[in-house]
């Protein structure tokens, strides 16, 4: 079975940084695009960023471009999201997702709260 | 970016009845559309992709239709586990975008 397990969420002050990790198993990690999708409390879903199999291409939604960096380590079957200059509006559950253009596997999510 | 609009926001249906959810795209997305179901406190789950193909393990009471800018998700006979929020998502152009969701509640 495919398992995606996120970690690294927590409470951070506005302007701070946080690094999320996602440990993947049960899939050929190096052969698949991966994404981060977020969901603000009580709100809908928003695609944040995705990354090609070998890390050579990365795409970001406008609201995070220049502040967030997606990366991966295929040797460790791991996906990362470095989040800098965090804003209150970045508060959300962040999901690691296998990106088949649609998402066919989701992690359980990790909560990021940006508040003073 | 492509804006996805779902209607209605809330659908009240009795168990065993039929439910039809709508999703409209601000420009054509072809058949590059997916549907997800999300229960409270859980991650979304893929139900439909390519507008009408059921994902692995999804029962036949779920059917998707449409192309271009107009799409539907039909649940032929609602079961207790089907009362949840449903999202549509286009993946024709980056950024992939989701609708705001339709909550299916017990009437």
């Amino acid at each position: 079975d495919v398992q995606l397990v996120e970690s690294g969420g927590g409470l951070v002050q506005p302007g701070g940084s946080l690094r999320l990790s996602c440990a993947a198993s049960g899939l050929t990690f190096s052969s698949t695009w991966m994404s981060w999708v977020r969901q603000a409390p009580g709100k809908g879903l928003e695609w944040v960023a995705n990354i090609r199999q070998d890390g050579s291409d990365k795409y970001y939604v406008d609201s995070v471009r220049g502040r967030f960096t997606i990366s991966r380590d295929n040797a460790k079957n791991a996906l990362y999201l470095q989040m800098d200059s965090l804003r209150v509006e970045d508060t959300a559950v962040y999901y690691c997702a296998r990106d088949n253009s649609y998402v066919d596997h989701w992690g359980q999510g990790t909560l990021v709260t940006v508040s003073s | 970016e492509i804006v996805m609009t779902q209607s209605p926001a809330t659908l009240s249906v009795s168990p065993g009845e039929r439910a039809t959810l709508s999703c409209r795209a601000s420009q054509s997305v072809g058949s590059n559309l997916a549907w997800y179901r999300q229960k409270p406190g859980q991650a979304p789950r893929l139900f439909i992709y390519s507008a009408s193909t059921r994902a692995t393990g999804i029962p036949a009471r779920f059917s998707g239709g449409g192309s271009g800018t107009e799409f539907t998700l039909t649940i032929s006979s609602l079961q207790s586990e089907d009362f949840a929020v449903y999202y549509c998502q286009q993946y024709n152009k980056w950024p992939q975008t989701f609708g705001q969701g339709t909550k299916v509640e017990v009437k």
Side-chain angles (χ1 to χ4, degrees), chain A residues 39 45 47 101-103 106-107, chain B residues 36 38 43-44 87 89 91 96:
Chain A
Q39 186 171 35
L45 299 161
W47 219 290
S101 295
Y102 48 86
V103 176
W106 299 75
Chain B
Y36 304 86
Q38 186 177 33
Y87 293 96
Q89 175 235 330
Y91 49 93
Q96 294 100 320

Side-chain angles (χ1 to χ4, degrees), chain A residues 37 39 43-50 59-61 65 95 99 101-104 106-108, chain B residues 1 34 36 38 41-46 49-50 87 89-91 94-100:
Chain A
V37 178
Q39 186 171 35
K43 303 296 184 183
L45 299 161
E46 180 183 40
W47 219 290
V48 174
N50 67 358
Y59 298 91
Y60 300 91
V61 71
R65 189 175 295 115
Y95 294 103
D99 186 344
S101 295
Y102 48 86
V103 176
D104 55 4
W106 299 75
Q108 85 288 350
Chain B
E1 79 178 33
Y36 304 86
Q38 186 177 33
Q42 295 185 15
R45 179 185 178 185
L46 176 68
Y49 62 94
S50 297
Y87 293 96
Q89 175 235 330
Q90 68 80 20
Y91 49 93
W94 174 261
Q96 294 100 320
T97 46
F98 295 89
Q100 80 282 12

Side-chain angles (χ1 to χ4, degrees), chain B residues 13-92:
Chain B
V13 188
S14 299
E17 288 189 341
R18 180 187 191 94
T20 301
L21 290 64
S22 296
C23 176
R24 174 177 291 176
S26 60
Q27 61 183 265
S28 176
V29 300
S31 294
N32 296 316
L33 185 106
W35 289 93
Y36 304 86
R37 182 178 79 183
Q38 186 177 33
K39 297 180 181 180
Q42 295 185 15
R45 179 185 178 185
L46 176 68
F47 268 59
I48 300 283
Y49 62 94
S50 297
S52 61
T53 303
R54 282 189 302 275
T56 303
I58 303 305
R61 67 178 183 272
F62 290 88
S63 62
S67 65
T69 62
E70 300 284 344
F71 301 88
T72 58
L73 174 68
T74 300
I75 312 169
S76 61
S77 177
L78 276 158
Q79 307 299 303
S80 57
E81 62 268 27
D82 300 334
F83 293 96
V85 179
Y86 292 81
Y87 293 96
C88 63
Q89 175 235 330
Q90 68 80 20
Y91 49 93
N92 194 56

